[in-house]
């Protein structure tokens, strides 16, 4: 799991509430990514970060925001959760020297929005 | 625009028989191609990666994949399936300079019968 932890691992919340998912890495990797996984869709990129306070949007960024105030933590926030955001969320990192496209994934967070 | 198509959503084989998981890609530039495996309720693990060094790529657990530019294919094979190979497999494409924006196929679920 490349030294990546995600918290919480499971969460159930209600529509309209804010939710923050945390990705933590211990090896000082510069690039971090957030994906969502839905049946029949594979994984889709939500946001990524290429350094502290440097982030950019991915394919499915609507309804999500991110923050990276220190190298080891990349936070994903759902400002007002909707049922369509029920999904499994994966954080990933890429390792310097292997290229940004070689990514290693965390264990995932299963989010249910009721 | 780049894309990847996994031709089978579900493949079933008997233990000890060969495995073939098919993947076609579309890319305007020189792609990097990957196969990831996901066991039930687990994160994704990198099986192998193609980056133009060699067209036949060997990965972990006896898997290999061959890049065929003329056919725009990157099929995953294994000579003899084990029960532990039962999982979902994702073919992934990335383009140079994409800062790690990976495009995932929808996945192929591999079942292995005793």
């Amino acid at each position: 799991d490349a030294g990546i932890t995600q918290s919480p691992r499971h969460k159930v919340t209600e529509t309209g509430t804010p939710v923050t998912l945390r990705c933590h890495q211990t090896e000082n990797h510069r690039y971090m990514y957030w994906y969502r996984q839905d049946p029949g869709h594979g994984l889709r990129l939500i946001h990524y970060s290429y350094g502290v306070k440097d982030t950019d949007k991915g394919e499915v960024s609507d309804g999500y925001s991110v923050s990276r105030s220190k190298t080891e933590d990349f936070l994903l926030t759902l400002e007002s959760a909707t049922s369509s955001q029920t999904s499994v969320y994966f954080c990933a990192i890429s390792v310097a020297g292997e290229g940004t496209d070689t990514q290693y994934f965390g264990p995932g967070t299963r989010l249910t929005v009721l | 625009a780049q894309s990847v198509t996994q031709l089978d959503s579900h493949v079933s084989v008997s233990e000890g028989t060969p495995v073939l998981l098919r993947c076609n890609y579309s890319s305007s530039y020189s792609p990097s191609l990957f196969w990831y495996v996901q066991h039930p309720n687990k994160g994704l693990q990198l099986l192998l990666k193609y980056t133009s060094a060699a067209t036949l790529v060997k990965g972990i657990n006896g898997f290999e994949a061959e890049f065929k530019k003329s056919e725009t294919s990157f099929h995953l094979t294994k000579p003899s399936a084990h029960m532990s190979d039962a999982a979902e497999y994702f073919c992934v494409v990335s383009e140079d300079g994409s800062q790690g924006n990976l495009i995932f196929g929808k996945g192929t679920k591999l079942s292995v019968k005793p």
Side-chain angles (χ1 to χ4, degrees):
Chain A
D1 64 359
I4 304 170
T5 57
Q6 294 185 231
S7 58
R9 294 293 314 279
H10 301 271
K11 186 168 182 68
V12 180
T13 192
E14 294 190 350
T15 298
T17 60
V19 176
T20 295
L21 309 182
R22 179 183 184 232
C23 177
H24 179 76
Q25 52 119 342
T26 57
E27 299 178 8
N28 219 32
H29 300 300
R30 179 182 170 196
Y31 281 82
M32 299 182 74
Y33 308 84
W34 275 109
Y35 290 87
R36 61 178 289 173
Q37 182 179 29
D38 304 291
H41 286 277
L43 275 72
R44 292 177 290 176
L45 181 66
I46 305 171
H47 282 279
Y48 67 97
S49 169
Y50 46 97
V52 173
K53 296 186 180 176
D54 292 323
T55 65
D56 206 348
K57 295 178 179 180
E59 178 189 355
V60 291
S61 60
D62 287 349
Y64 301 94
S65 62
V66 290
S67 64
R68 192 163 178 204
S69 59
K70 46 187 178 177
T71 300
E72 58 266 36
D73 288 326
F74 190 32
L75 305 181
L76 176 71
T77 296
L78 292 64
E79 302 288 352
S80 178
T82 68
S83 58
S84 64
Q85 294 176 310
T86 293
S87 188
V88 181
Y89 292 85
F90 287 97
C91 176
I93 58 93
S94 57
V95 175
E98 294 189 28
T100 55
D101 53 6
T102 302
Q103 295 178 14
Y104 298 91
F105 289 80
T109 293
R110 185 174 295 274
L111 176 68
T112 302
V113 183
L114 301 176
Chain B
Q2 53 186 336
S3 65
V4 61
T5 301
Q6 293 184 241
L7 299 171
D8 306 291
S9 58
H10 192 197
V11 170
S12 181
V13 301
S14 297
E15 191 174 21
T17 64
V19 175
L20 170 63
L21 305 182
R22 300 182 294 165
C23 173
N24 286 352
Y25 71 91
S26 172
S27 176
S28 304
Y29 305 102
S30 298
S32 294
L33 292 158
F34 308 80
W35 278 98
Y36 282 85
V37 60
Q38 184 180 31
H39 288 92
N41 300 312
K42 300 288 187 183
L44 281 81
Q45 181 183 19
L46 180 63
L47 269 182
L48 51 80
K49 171 182 179 179
Y50 166 77
T51 56
S52 78
T55 56
L56 184 62
V57 183
K58 294 188 184 298
I60 62 172
N61 300 334
F63 285 94
E64 63 182 35
E66 186 171 9
F67 174 73
K68 292 187 176 181
K69 187 174 182 178
S70 61
E71 299 176 10
T72 61
S73 69
F74 190 58
H75 301 335
L76 182 70
T77 60
K78 183 174 181 178
S80 176
H82 296 161
M83 296 297 293
S84 60
D85 295 327
E88 190 157 22
Y89 293 79
F90 294 94
C91 182
V92 181
V93 65
S94 169
E95 289 184 346
D96 289 345
S98 67
Q99 291 210 90
N101 186 6
L102 302 183
I103 304 299
F104 282 75
K106 295 183 177 181
T108 297
K109 183 168 285 189
L110 176 65
S111 299
V112 182
K113 297 175 289 188

